[in-house]
Structures are given as structure tokens and as C-alpha cells.
Amino acid sequence: MYDTEFLDIPALRSVRGSVRLPGSKSISNRVLLLAALCEGRTVVHDLLDSDDTRVMLDALRALGCGVQVDGSRATIDGLGNRPRQPQAELFLGNAGTAMRPLTAALAVLGGDYQLRGIPRMHERPIGDLVDALRALGCTIDYLGTPGYPPLRIGQPAVRLDQPIGVRGDVSSQFLTALLLALPLAASQPGRRDVVIEVVGELISRPYVEITLQLLARFGVQVQREGWSRFTIPQGSRYRSPGDIHVEADASSASYFIAAGAISEPGRGPNGLKIEGVGEQSIQGDIRFVDAARAMGAEIDSGPNWLQVRRGAWPLKAIDLDCNHIPDAAMTLAAMALYADGPSTLRNIASWRVKETDRIAAMATELRKLGAQVEEGTDFIRVTPPDSTTGWRAASLHTYDDHRMAMCGSLAAFNPARLPVRIQDPRCVGKTFPDYFETLFAIAEPSTPVPVLCVDGPTASGKGTLAAAVAHRLGYHYLDSGALYRLTGLAARQAQLEPEPVNEAEIAALARQLPVQFRADRVWLAGEEVTEQIRSEAAGMDASRVSALPSVREALLNLQHSFARLPGLVADGRDMGTQIFPFAPLKVFLTADAAQRADRRHKQLISKGISANIDSLRADLAARDARDSSRSVAPLQPAQDALLLDNSQLSVEESVDRVLGWWQARQPF
């Protein structure tokens, strides 16, 4: 997951290949709670790993539930009808799928509980659910603004003599919460049927349908009269299914369906395969497929897969009641940017009480891109930008809302070939932590991947600077010197002196160099060699093999392969002059010889390696002379490089200087 202040996405042309989606958030948190309310053990497979599921798992642990997580599998030892911890303070972040159902379940079970979240959660209404639970005899107090979390829950005196009324026109999660909690009351001896009556029109019905199907999997068959009356039979009791699998998230599929629909056709196999969900999904958001087809997408489906490609172009404008796909409908607003006229999405009042006011947020951000947007209490109308001239590069605010970030990324497919900046990309962790990595793995850029080069002499601090800049930007990092050090090490292991006489054999090794970079560690042929290649001897070997033309040619393609989405920061001695001559920013880092020798001396001493500073200075001078006078790619600044003398600068100051130069080249 990108943990950066912002993420710049270069202009994208198309998507190809296949993508495997994470598990559904809606199903994951429902299943976790149901498993906790059973007696016995439930094994949940393909569980979504996200912020929302993590807060639910933490809450279940705090209540005394047995929880073991191994990758995407969770083993839940249920609580039955009584939490083992009758008192707890639960922090539920911004997870409505945890706050609302846990409020209802704990209010029916009783205890001494406080439920809190982040500030935005304390702005999301829960009063209609609390009113319904109070009418049932539950004890719930507001700890802040009436009608909103945080809440305190006490012991109930449950009464089931009257139907329980709950509003359905604010959030379907209120009804879902009651449906999940009230089987606990119906299972008590002597109790009658539990009846829930929905007041007003029920929105987001497909999410209630998910709840009903999962209740059936856990042994509770709810009788439904239309969408206004639900009956939980007396004696209903949760029974563990033993093992249960979580479908891939249909809402998450919408972003890739959209990407396939706006992807430029290319040579070879066309389209994108989405694995993990098909049109027979129990999730209502799978009906996004119908909406995408109405806009012109070509979509085939099979058991747990979808195949998507561009059909009509531009996309066809739509006017659609989106009550049946409230979350996925946000993706239609992004697709509307590529339509042949204004598109109107109706019956989306629930957007206003989600992670943010999504109608207002979407209108604001789409306007930044050049669209004309009209918004109402329960609709949004999007008129796309005029062809290529109306599009604008934009920095999109995400409002700590995962869906705003993922929808915003689709703007990178614009025909004007403009980049888009996503602020706070980490917010996708709520449902799809690896969203951007997944997108970049299948996307093809329409412009060269941006590369930032940092060149300089030995011990100038270029590696430290480049790695820090890459981290701040969320870009890949290439330590080209490591490749030469690895080649030198491979030559030594093959008993080849790094001399011109062995050039052909060393070049052959370099062409098939089995190297892997993981975080700040380096492997060669499956063996970690991080410390080995950082030795002074390895540095000398690197300098010698880098002077061999055939070795440099062999490593050229390998270095080019590091230029992957969303971008690359490369450090070395000739990144800007030879390897990436068209990089939009080249920095040549310098420091006086005494300063560099002092830095290297401190570095070696910190590792417990004895060193003489005068010898180090002499070695650096010799290496500089050799690197700057070699016939192939001598060490020198690129003509358009910016010089940075960091002799008197801290690492942070140097990073800020380079990022300032980089920002000056961006269109945002």
C-alpha cells in the first residue's frame, strides 16, 4: 500500500492481462460477526485484509473471541450468546460495516461497551438504528452529539411484543444490523417471532440481500414480505457452516470493468480478465456490469470471472436510477468523463452519509478535471470535458475515502495524456490496500514512465538521497551501483578477475544476473548479499567492471526494466547521461572530498570496520580520477542536470530541494 502524501499517476493508455480481486468488504465483515456469534469454530477463507476488517477482528478479540489469521484465512472461535469480556472499549475507525452491526449485536447481548471511531465516523448518522434498539428495550447512550457515535451500551430488557420499526431511506446498514443481531433474541426460550418493519423506502436493497443470504448460510432463514417486513422465526439460532468462502469484491471489480471499457485497443489479445467474481455473484454491485454495458462496454462472464474490453467509443451517456448499486455507481461518475454527452445518476442520496459527502466530493473533483457537474440532494449530472482540449491535469482530494481515490485513478486514461495526482493514496486501505499496485501491474502508460536521475561520485550520498526521494514519491528505486557490485561479486564467485581480459565472460554473467531487490535487501541467486556488496572491495570491483563496454551493454536492458509505473528514481554515475538521457529531472550530486571521506569514515566505523581517513580520501580521489577519465560513459554531469552540493546540507534538506525541483516540473 502506498503510504505517501500523494501519488502521481502518469497518463495511461490501456490495461491488459488479468487481475485477481480481494474479498468483499461487505461479505467479510458480515461473515466475521456471524462467525463470532456462533458457538464453535468457523474457518473463513479468502477474507479481505483491509482497515475495515482489521478493526472488526480487533473488536472481536477485545470481546474475548478466539481469532487466528493466516494470510487470507481466519479461524474464529465463536462467542455464542455471551461475550467473554462483558466490558470493553472498541475503536472502529471509519468502518460502518463494523460500527452499525456491532452496536446492534452488543445492545441485544448487553454489557458495558463504548464504541468509537475516527472523527468522520462521529459524523455518520446512527440515530435511526439506536431508536429502533431502544424501542426493543436496549440501553444505549450517546457520548457526544445525539444521533451519532460515540456510543455507550448497557444491559437490555428486550421486549418483542411489537414489530420493530427502522427507517430504510438513510442507510441499509441499519436494517442489516438488526437482521444480524435479532436472531440472538429469537433464540431465547419462550420468545416469539421477531418482526422488523421498514419505515419508508428501503435503499441499497442488494446489500440487504447479501445479509439474508449469509444469515441462511449460518442457519437463520428470514421470511420477507417485499422489502417492508422481515420475520425472524422464534427459536432461530446461529449454526456455524464450518468453512465459508468470501467472494471477491464486486464493488472493487467496478474500477477494472471501467478501466477495460475505456482502454485503448491494442495489438494481440485485447481486454482485461477479472478473476474472483462473475455475474452470478450474491453481491448487488455486480449489476454494475449492466450499467457498464449500457455505456458501451463489452463484457463476457463465466464462473467467477469477467472479461472486459472497449466497445462503443466514446462511451454512451446514461440516465440511471442507481439505488441498486450505490457504491459502484461512483465508478459510473468517473466513466461519465468519457461519454458522448451528459450522464445523470439518480437516487443516490445515501452518498451523502458515507465516508464523506460523496455527491459534493465527486462534483468538486470532477470539475477540477474539466467536467461540468450539477449536483442535487440525490443526483449528480456529469458533462464530460471537451475532447482533448477540455481536460486538465488535476490534484484530486480524496477526503479519506477509498472510493474517491480509486475513481480518481480512472482519470489517468484521459485522451489529453495528462497525469493525475491522488492525494492521500493510503486511504484505499479501507477495502483494497493493493489497489494501485494492482492497477500498475496491468496498465500500459501512454507517455514514458517518469524517471528522476541522481548521479554523482562515490560517497556523495546519492544512494541515500535517491532512496529517500523514491520513498516520498512512491516510486521504484534503482541503485545502479548495486548491479555493478553484484556483477563484480558474480565474477569473483566465478573466479574471474574484473579485468578487460575477462570482459566477454563477465558480460555473459551480467546478461543473466539473477538479482532480486526487496526493500533495502539484495539477493543474488537466492542468497542475500546486501552487506557483501557494500564492502570497499566490492565498490572497487564495481568501478572496474563498469569500465567494460560489454558489461555496460549487458546491464543496459536490466536497468531500463526498472522504469515501471508509477515512476523511478535511479542513482549512479551515468543515469542521466547514458541510461535515461530523456529523464525529465537529472540531479548531479557533489560534495567536497574531505566531506565525502569523513562520511565514509563514519559509516565504516559505525559498522565496526577500522578505517584511516587519509587512506579513504586517497582511495576516493583515485576512484574519481578513474571514473571521470574512462573511455566509456565517464563520470560527468548531464548537460541539463541540476547541480546539488550537499556538503553543508542534511539528508532532509537535500530531499526537499530535489522534490522542489521535481514539483516545479509537474502540471499540478
Side-chain angles (χ1 to χ4, degrees), residues 25 29 50-59 89-100 102 114-124 126 149-150 354-355 400 429-430:
K25 176 192 73 171
N29 267 357
S50 73
D51 292 345
D52 278 21
T53 53
R54 283 191 286 271
V55 298
M56 176 65 89
L57 288 166
D58 288 343
E89 294 188 12
L90 307 180
F91 176 77
L92 301 174
N94 199 15
T97 57
M99 175 66 78
R100 277 77 178 261
L102 277 169
Q114 292 186 32
L115 280 64
R116 302 179 181 274
I118 66 169
R120 174 58 186 171
M121 176 57 81
H122 297 170
E123 297 173 351
R124 299 178 67 179
I126 201 169
K354 296 288 188 175
E355 283 79 348
D400 195 27
K430 182 176 175 66

Side-chain angles (χ1 to χ4, degrees), residues 229-262:
R229 186 179 175 93
F230 299 81
T231 301
I232 302 170
Q234 185 275 331
S236 295
R237 189 178 188 87
Y238 284 129
R239 296 187 300 274
S240 171
D243 289 79
I244 187 167
H245 290 259
V246 176
E247 278 188 0
D249 189 54
S251 301
S252 296
S254 71
Y255 311 112
F256 295 99
I257 293 171
I262 60 181

